[in-house]
Amino acid sequence: MQWQGESVRKVTGGRRRPAAMKRRAEIGRAAADTHLGEPRSRVVRTYGGNHITMALRANYANVTNPKNGETKKVKIEKVEQNTANPNYVRRNLVTKGAVIRTELGSARITSRPGQNGIINAVLLE
């Protein structure tokens, strides 16, 4: 778990004494790290009692062609580019904004697989 809050230390190096302890709402969770492979997902309870579906592995994407608006479910071959982290390309990790190679051609991911549990993409020209 990760705490999404202020550091204990100031920029000058002095110690900042917190007025309150960590709150449940401030705690995050580890990244899903969606890989390519046989589909596997996990349902997680979130803040407010809601649920999200984390895609842990996926091998298909819903790819939309912007010219004619058609959407097809196609197989993902590999990750070509990922601006979030160059190392993700080597590890075939899928995140929002990553460029994947599919049967139709290269496509950019528009969904957040670790949050939405599904991969949606738009075909690149």
Side-chain angles (χ1 to χ4, degrees), residues 59-75:
N59 55 3
Y60 283 94
N62 301 318
V63 179
T64 303
N65 188 344
K67 288 184 178 176
N68 55 17
E70 285 184 356
T71 302
K72 292 183 181 177
K73 182 179 177 180
V74 294
K75 191 167 179 65

Side-chain angles (χ1 to χ4, degrees), residues 82-104:
N82 197 326
T83 54
N85 189 339
N87 190 36
Y88 286 1
V89 178
R90 285 182 232 124
R91 295 168 60 195
N92 271 337
L93 287 183
V94 183
T95 60
K96 181 177 178 176
V99 177
I100 55 175
R101 186 188 303 149
T102 65
E103 298 163 347
L104 299 177

Side-chain angles (χ1 to χ4, degrees), residues 6 30-31 34-35 39-40 47 50 55 62 64 70 76-77 80 85 96 100 109 120 122:
E6 280 187 338
T34 307
H35 291 273
R40 183 184 290 178
Y47 190 65
N50 300 309
N62 301 318
T64 303
E70 285 184 356
I76 301 171
E77 294 172 0
E80 288 184 339
N85 189 339
K96 181 177 178 176
I100 55 175
I109 295 175
N120 297 326
V122 175

